[in-house]
Amino acid sequence: MKKAIVTGASGFIGKQLINELLSRNVKIVAIDIRFDDVLLQNKEITCINCKDKNPFDLREELETVQADTFFHLAWAGTSGPMRSDYSVQLDNVKLACDYVVLASKTGCKRFIYASSINEMETYEYLQSDDINPSGGYIYGTGKLAAHLMSETVAKLNGIDFIPVIITNIYGAGEKSARLVNTSIRQLLNGEHCSFTEGKQTYDFIYITDAIASIVEVAEKGKPFNRYYIGSGAPKPLRDFLLEMKDVVAPGAELGLGDLPFNGIDIDYSQFKLKKVQEDTGYVNKIPFKDGIKMTMDFIKSEKAE
């Protein structure tokens, strides 16, 4: 890999991905609707603002780049009300397909699609009865549809397509409302944390391991093979939560069982959990407890500023 395009470049995952690629001497074209000074002032990064632009408006700029790998991370409505907004999620599906076509037209031959474990939850939901659908299934359906449609578009356009199924990423630098980040902040503030009983199977992966896995897959992964990006050792959510509590606030009481669980317990046996390791040789380096401590330390330092 010599040159890469990254959509969603200003996000938590996007920035970490760019840093990893730069450390490997990969030239970067960053695409997003806004950029901070860190990205804009880096001479090794070409920033393209795509706000209010059709993807194909970027064709002329990208043709001159001659990138070999396209990382598609951009996705509107990953949390909050837009997660259940079908028009937002349908736009995400079309955008993924458009970027595959754009990659083809600009000579980029490898496309990495960042999907989510939520697409598998949605797929399993479709095979179940007597389940109450929540707004999150609209997001999951968008991820599932974009995966299958953009993969098909890639095949039709001669692009090597690799989907990475990302489980719950956490780590230093995150500022979203995702579970680990929110829970650590609440525990540090002495607030009560409410959860389901936590019997459903979950998995987490620290940000640096997730990014390294994705880059290794981009370089060595097999086209049209999906890669699970996680710890490789899923277990009941309550086990992770109790480990987190022991690191952040040992004396706290977690509200396990405060909330009902109305979702689907994902069957992780459907994944080849060690496929990244088998195909690329990369082995995760950060145990969950160590990752929680690093995340906690970052949040504390952020508050101290």
Side-chain angles (χ1 to χ4, degrees):
M1 191 186 333
K2 295 181 178 179
K3 295 182 180 180
I5 297 167
V6 179
T7 70
S10 294
F12 174 51
I13 299 175
K15 283 185 175 180
Q16 297 280 351
L17 174 61
I18 286 174
N19 287 338
E20 177 65 20
L21 291 172
L22 289 175
S23 74
R24 301 184 184 214
N25 297 315
V26 177
K27 295 186 181 301
I28 305 295
V29 176
I31 298 176
D32 213 323
I33 59 174
R34 66 178 67 86
F35 297 99
D36 61 20
D37 290 341
V38 174
L39 291 175
L40 288 172
Q41 294 175 5
N42 192 322
K43 295 180 181 179
E44 300 300 317
I45 304 172
T46 300
C47 294
I48 298 178
N49 192 309
C50 63
K51 187 175 182 180
D52 299 326
K53 292 181 181 178
N54 181 295
F56 300 107
D57 294 337
L58 311 179
R59 178 175 177 176
E60 186 174 340
E61 290 179 88
L62 296 183
E63 279 179 331
T64 62
V65 173
Q66 295 184 326
D68 47 65
T69 307
F70 197 118
F71 293 89
H72 182 48
L73 306 178
W75 197 274
T78 57
S79 62
M82 288 198 301
R83 189 178 173 89
S84 57
D85 187 326
Y86 66 83
S87 62
V88 170
Q89 301 305 332
L90 286 172
D91 285 344
N92 283 327
V93 176
K94 185 177 186 302
L95 185 66
C97 294
D98 285 347
Y99 273 133
V100 171
V101 174
L102 181 62
S104 173
K105 291 183 179 299
T106 57
C108 192
K109 294 298 184 182
R110 204 160 174 86
F111 194 96
I112 313 303
Y113 169 66
S115 193
S116 164
I117 198 72
N118 293 89
E119 78 164 60
M120 305 312 302
E121 182 180 354
T122 301
Y123 179 75
E124 292 186 15
Y125 166 79
L126 292 172
Q127 303 176 72
S128 306
D129 294 319
D130 300 320
I131 300 293
N132 295 319
S134 65
Y137 283 116
I138 294 178
Y139 164 76
T141 300
K143 280 292 188 181
L144 179 61
H147 178 168
L148 182 55
M149 293 179 72
S150 59
E151 186 167 38
T152 304
V153 172
K155 188 70 174 178
L156 294 172
N157 283 273
I159 298 288
D160 286 347
F161 185 94
I162 303 179
V164 287
I165 310 298
I166 303 173
T167 186
N168 300 283
I169 292 179
Y170 71 100
E174 184 176 16
K175 297 184 179 181
S176 76
R178 290 161 60 84
L179 188 147
V180 168
N181 184 47
T182 299
S183 298
I184 290 177
R185 292 175 187 274
Q186 288 178 323
L187 288 170
L188 288 175
N189 291 333
E191 300 173 19
H192 180 71
C193 296
S194 294
F195 304 100
T196 65
E197 288 186 83
K199 294 180 179 179
Q200 67 271 37
T201 307
Y202 249 68
D203 197 9
F204 294 91
I205 184 169
Y206 193 70
I207 181 65
T208 54
D209 278 330
I211 294 303
S213 295
I214 292 170
V215 174
E216 289 294 325
V217 164
E219 292 195 312
K220 304 171 187 174
K222 301 172 183 175
F224 301 98
N225 277 238
R226 65 178 184 173
Y227 286 86
Y228 174 81
I229 307 297
S231 75
K235 58 186 177 182
L237 173 61
R238 67 181 293 117
D239 293 355
F240 285 111
L241 296 176
L242 291 171
E243 283 186 62
M244 177 181 67
K245 176 190 78 74
D246 289 344
V247 173
V248 180
E253 288 190 14
L254 297 183
L256 292 166
D258 286 357
L259 305 175
F261 176 64
N262 298 316
I264 293 289
D265 192 0
I266 297 173
D267 178 11
Y268 282 80
S269 67
Q270 66 187 289
F271 301 111
K272 292 183 178 179
L273 298 176
K274 301 293 185 182
K275 188 172 178 59
V276 171
Q277 182 177 338
E278 291 169 0
D279 287 3
T280 74
Y282 183 78
V283 179
N284 289 332
K285 297 176 173 58
I286 310 297
F288 184 70
K289 283 188 176 181
D290 292 351
I292 291 296
K293 185 178 186 310
M294 289 190 288
T295 306
M296 176 185 69
D297 290 344
F298 167 79
I299 293 172
K300 285 182 175 179
S301 67
E302 185 183 48
K303 289 184 175 183
E305 293 178 356

